[in-house]
Amino acid sequence: MSKDKEPKLTKEEKAQARADKKFAKLEAKYDKAYDRKDALNEQIEALKADILNEPDQKKKDKIRAKRDALIKERDAIVITEDELVLPLAEKTKKIIKAVVAVVLIVALLFTYVATGAVRKGLCSTLGWPQSVFTAYTIKDADGDKHTVKVSTYNYYFAMYYNNLQSTVSQYKQYDIDLEEANMNVDFDKKLSQQKRTDEDGNTQTWLEYIQDQVMEQIKDTYTYYYMAVKANDGKEPDITEDQQSELDEALESYETSASNYGYTVSGYLQAAMGKGVTEEVFRHEAKVSYISQNYSEEYQEELNKKEYDDADLEAYRDENLADLQSVDIKLFECDNEDDAIAFKNALKADGSNFAELASKYSSTDWDIEANKNPVETTYNGITYGTMKKLSYAVCTPDTDDNTKHTSLDWLFSTDRKAGDVIQESTSVVYLVKPVYLSEQKTVSVRHILIKPVAQETEEETDEHGHDHSSASDATECTEEEWAEAYTKAKEILDEYENGDKTEDSFAALAKEYTEDSNGSDGGIYENVVPNQMVATFNAWCFDSSRQAGDTAIVKTKYGYHIMYFVGTGDYSVWQYTAQQALASEDSTDTISELEEKVTIKKSWFGSRYFEIDTDIDA
């Protein structure tokens, strides 16, 4: 059986292979210099600590001499953007000459590599340097090293650059001061010739800033990607069907655009995103991002599941009692301060006309009707911590750092009594029950959301003057549209009632019918705390008569919710809040430790092929 002969290399291909080999050697020498400098820095820092801790003066002097020798060796290694200079021992001088010779050959062969002009040449157009050369070396949390190609850098650079352009454009559209927002970048000028100053007063060019941001994005993304692969026995985990569909749809769109301009998809992507960013690279990097995102979320969820014993929870309670205590209040936000003053003056001592006044001082048809129901303005068991997150005037901090809330401090003071009233700017608050530590349990519920559907019209507004074009809720829908939504909700509830009436069967209906974002989870909301949900939803969940298996149809401004009560949780609200806070603190520490273990180092040689700008700097 004859053996196929390998095709002979052309003269140009042989020259290319030799150049590739020299590139690799040069890059290895450069990385070796970086590693040596890092090692010397570690030794120097250790010796500095020894000097401080050594009581004997003679021994101190010896340690200092050793330290100074290492500093001299370290400082002899000078690494700049344009050249590599190693310590000038006789043997090393020969290495420098060899390295410089290689650089000169490369420069002649590929046309001024140091200036970036090479990216205009044929080889760069094909994108092979970007696909071959290393942009960064990442050492993961386990100490394993991985290389990231220049094509990956260019992909992330294009993504960040385009997002930055979009953000600046939006800021201009809404008349946001770019200088004040520290976003004053001009995309018609070279990024390398524009300066920015950060919050600490440090100045750098916009190019340096973007490169730093891109490096951090790559590090963060690949940190969790590598973890995901290791957790999956060394294989890439699958992405979700939705994510795969998103990726396929994006590439289909690019294929259409590419065809219109006479490009292949890879040619179009390289023209749009930078050299080396082929269709294969785009697919891979998008998949890496999805895998990283999925694993990061799973990892965070796992950390947040950590449980604490009663002693831990009680210790947290004792240290953070003010944030955990609750009050029962009635709260309304007026359109202006004059209305708020009139509201307060008209309010009865027992608060019995609060809902009536809320309806009177509402400014929309929806709110006028909705606020007749007392639950819309009732907040039972609301904590200090929750109120700080609300946007009402009474919740506004007195200081920029959010540390002082005079009105909330007054409201949550132990000096308060039922019937006290505070009017702060446009807010009116009536105290029903003074501060207490709530033993209310969290609850878990499932729901199916059915939204009213606005009928399509030729105009953006319908015959009633209601604008349906950009509504985030259903408050502008007509009575007929609401009636149709209710009919559909009732039919779904009847389907449940006529079935086996189990939680699983309700979850299956939620997956099929709900228009909420948690449909894939069967419409579940677990460990709901008071005032987490909109008013009528919240009131149904925390009705003291509620039993597992209860169902109902509840109306909110978003539509009709077909409710299913799963049951109460194991924790009281304050215990659950403490549990979540402790888990959050611990997970933050764990993630910080993880990210500190991961290092990323730029390749000097690979950085010669980094995208600088889409047009101007290229």
Side-chain angles (χ1 to χ4, degrees):
M1 185 169 160
S2 63
K3 198 173 186 179
D4 293 337
K5 292 183 178 180
E6 293 187 9
K8 291 184 178 180
L9 298 175
T10 64
K11 192 174 182 180
E12 290 78 14
E13 288 172 334
K14 287 179 181 179
Q16 186 63 69
R18 289 194 296 271
D20 289 350
K21 194 171 182 180
K22 289 175 180 178
F23 280 142
K25 286 183 179 179
L26 177 59
E27 187 174 18
K29 288 172 182 174
Y30 185 75
D31 287 342
K32 187 175 181 181
Y34 254 127
D35 290 338
R36 178 58 180 158
K37 196 161 187 175
D38 288 342
L40 288 170
N41 278 326
E42 290 179 6
Q43 294 176 47
I44 291 166
E45 291 304 313
L47 290 174
K48 286 179 180 178
D50 290 344
I51 292 169
L52 291 174
N53 296 325
E54 177 56 61
D56 188 292
Q57 190 60 45
K58 288 184 178 180
K59 289 182 180 179
K60 272 191 184 227
D61 291 339
K62 287 182 179 180
I63 299 172
R64 284 196 183 99
K66 190 174 180 180
R67 176 204 62 189
D68 292 341
L70 290 180
I71 290 174
K72 188 175 181 181
E73 182 182 352
R74 179 199 65 190
D75 292 346
I77 303 174
V78 181
I79 303 171
T80 70
E81 287 296 310
D82 299 317
E83 60 182 347
L84 166 63
V85 183
L86 296 171
L88 296 179
E90 283 304 313
K91 184 177 179 181
T92 309
K93 287 180 182 178
K94 295 179 182 178
I95 294 174
I96 291 174
K97 289 179 180 178
V99 170
V100 171
V102 172
V103 172
L104 288 175
I105 291 170
V106 171
L108 291 172
L109 184 61
F110 296 108
T111 318
Y112 308 115
V113 65
T115 66
V118 66
R119 292 183 292 124
K120 293 294 187 182
L122 173 63
C123 295
S124 187
T125 300
L126 297 175
W128 72 261
Q130 290 81 4
S131 302
V132 173
F133 296 149
T134 296
Y136 298 106
T137 299
I138 298 177
K139 186 166 70 173
D140 66 27
D142 295 326
D144 296 328
K145 288 188 175 181
H146 312 265
T147 58
V148 174
K149 301 302 180 186
V150 175
S151 55
T152 295
Y153 172 87
N154 288 347
Y155 169 90
Y156 277 87
F157 180 91
M159 289 293 191
Y160 191 90
Y161 184 94
N162 290 337
N163 285 338
L164 184 63
Q165 273 191 317
S166 177
T167 301
V168 170
S169 176
Q170 289 177 1
Y171 278 22
K172 288 179 179 177
Q173 181 182 347
Y174 293 105
D175 295 323
I176 296 174
D177 189 317
L178 296 180
E179 193 73 45
E180 188 176 327
N182 206 5
M183 296 290 284
N184 197 15
V185 54
D186 186 345
F187 294 100
D188 292 327
K189 296 179 181 178
K190 289 185 177 183
L191 297 173
S192 56
Q193 294 179 5
Q194 300 179 68
K195 300 279 188 179
R196 75 183 300 277
T197 304
D198 64 22
E199 294 177 355
D200 297 324
N202 301 315
T203 301
Q204 60 182 163
T205 68
W206 268 98
L207 177 60
E208 290 169 335
Y209 170 77
I210 293 175
Q211 288 177 333
D212 287 347
Q213 297 303 307
V214 170
M215 183 174 72
E216 284 303 309
Q217 283 189 353
I218 291 173
K219 178 188 172 186
D220 292 344
T221 299
Y222 273 86
T223 291
Y224 293 102
Y225 169 75
Y226 295 139
M227 291 174 68
V229 171
K230 285 187 178 181
N232 197 45
D233 298 326
K235 300 176 183 177
E236 275 193 347
D238 293 329
I239 60 179
T240 68
E241 290 183 4
D242 287 344
Q243 289 169 340
Q244 187 62 56
S245 294
E246 286 177 1
L247 177 53
D248 291 340
E249 288 170 7
L251 283 166
E252 284 176 13
S253 173
Y254 293 147
E255 186 174 1
T256 301
S257 298
S259 178
N260 291 338
Y261 287 102
Y263 279 100
T264 63
V265 175
S266 290
Y268 176 78
L269 287 170
Q270 290 193 82
M273 302 187 72
K275 305 300 185 293
V277 186
T278 62
E279 179 180 357
E280 181 182 2
V281 169
F282 187 94
R283 280 190 181 277
H284 177 258
E285 295 307 329
K287 188 175 181 182
V288 166
S289 296
Y290 281 133
I291 291 170
S292 176
Q293 172 191 325
N294 295 343
Y295 189 82
S296 173
E297 290 173 358
E298 292 170 9
Y299 185 67
Q300 184 71 59
E301 286 177 9
E302 193 60 35
L303 291 176
N304 288 340
K305 288 179 182 176
K306 182 177 179 180
E307 295 188 355
Y308 300 84
D309 59 27
D310 290 343
D312 292 327
L313 299 179
E314 289 166 4
Y316 183 88
R317 176 200 62 196
D318 294 343
E319 292 178 10
N320 301 274
L321 183 60
D323 277 344
L324 297 176
Q325 287 184 312
S326 302
V327 290
D328 294 351
I329 60 173
K330 295 181 183 294
L331 168 61
F332 183 72
E333 190 74 10
C334 296
D335 289 338
N336 55 70
E337 190 166 359
D338 288 341
D339 283 353
I341 294 171
F343 187 115
K344 179 186 176 185
N345 291 337
L347 185 60
K348 294 180 180 179
D350 62 0
S352 59
N353 64 334
F354 198 95
E356 177 187 337
L357 291 170
S359 177
K360 176 182 177 180
Y361 286 99
S362 294
S363 55
T364 69
D365 292 343
W366 171 271
D367 288 332
I368 289 170
E369 189 61 33
N371 286 329
K372 292 177 182 178
N373 185 347
V375 302
E376 289 286 350
T377 49
T378 298
Y379 297 79
N380 289 334
I382 192 166
T383 64
Y384 189 105
T386 299
M387 288 204 71
K388 285 197 296 184
K389 300 173 185 176
L390 299 180
S391 57
Y392 301 128
V394 72
C395 308
T396 304
D398 302 307
T399 54
D400 291 337
D401 59 3
N402 296 337
T403 55
K404 189 177 180 183
H405 291 71
T406 302
S407 297
L408 293 189
D409 290 341
W410 179 91
L411 184 62
F412 282 83
S413 168
T414 54
D415 295 334
R416 299 279 69 74
K417 64 182 184 300
D420 282 351
V421 179
I422 183 173
Q423 177 260 316
E424 176 67 33
S425 184
T426 53
S427 296
V428 181
V429 183
Y430 178 89
L431 184 60
V432 178
K433 183 177 180 180
V435 65
Y436 64 99
L437 189 65
S438 175
E439 294 297 334
Q440 167 72 57
K441 298 285 188 181
T442 63
V443 301
S444 293
V445 296
R446 292 185 185 272
H447 85 129
I448 302 169
L449 174 61
I450 303 300
K451 298 178 180 179
V453 179
Q455 299 300 314
E456 294 183 4
T457 62
E458 292 183 2
E459 303 294 331
E460 287 190 348
T461 57
D462 63 20
E463 59 182 339
H464 303 288
H466 297 148
D467 180 6
H468 300 291
S469 59
S470 59
S472 61
D473 55 45
T475 56
E476 296 294 332
C477 287
T478 65
E479 290 183 10
E480 291 79 9
E481 290 160 358
W482 277 99
E484 288 177 12
Y486 180 80
T487 298
K488 184 177 178 181
K490 186 66 170 62
E491 289 172 353
I492 295 170
L493 182 56
D494 288 343
E495 185 177 346
Y496 166 78
E497 294 288 353
N498 293 328
D500 57 14
K501 299 174 66 173
T502 64
E503 182 182 348
D504 288 342
S505 66
F506 190 94
L509 291 172
K511 290 179 181 179
E512 182 177 358
Y513 293 115
T514 191
E515 297 174 65
D516 196 13
S517 59
N518 66 350
S520 60
D521 297 323
I524 189 69
Y525 282 114
E526 295 181 293
N527 288 309
V528 177
V529 299
N531 308 291
Q532 177 182 333
M533 302 298 189
V534 289
T536 47
F537 192 115
N538 177 81
W540 188 88
C541 291
F542 289 98
D543 188 316
S544 59
S545 66
R546 196 63 55 230
Q547 297 291 320
D550 283 356
T551 58
I553 296 177
V554 173
K555 184 179 182 181
T556 74
K557 65 181 181 178
Y558 300 105
Y560 286 107
H561 304 257
I562 309 164
M563 308 293 296
Y564 179 94
F565 191 76
V566 177
T568 56
D570 296 327
Y571 292 110
S572 66
V573 171
W574 77 261
Q575 287 175 321
Y576 179 73
T577 304
Q579 169 84 22
Q580 292 296 100
L582 289 169
S584 177
E585 290 173 6
D586 285 348
S587 67
T588 299
D589 291 343
T590 300
I591 289 173
S592 295
E593 290 172 8
L594 165 69
E595 292 176 350
E596 284 176 7
K597 290 179 182 177
V598 179
T599 60
I600 183 169
K601 182 172 66 178
K602 182 174 73 174
S603 165
W604 166 83
F605 196 81
S607 68
R608 303 300 91 195
Y609 292 88
F610 282 3
E611 284 292 326
I612 299 173
D613 195 293
T614 53
D615 295 309
I616 296 172
D617 283 310

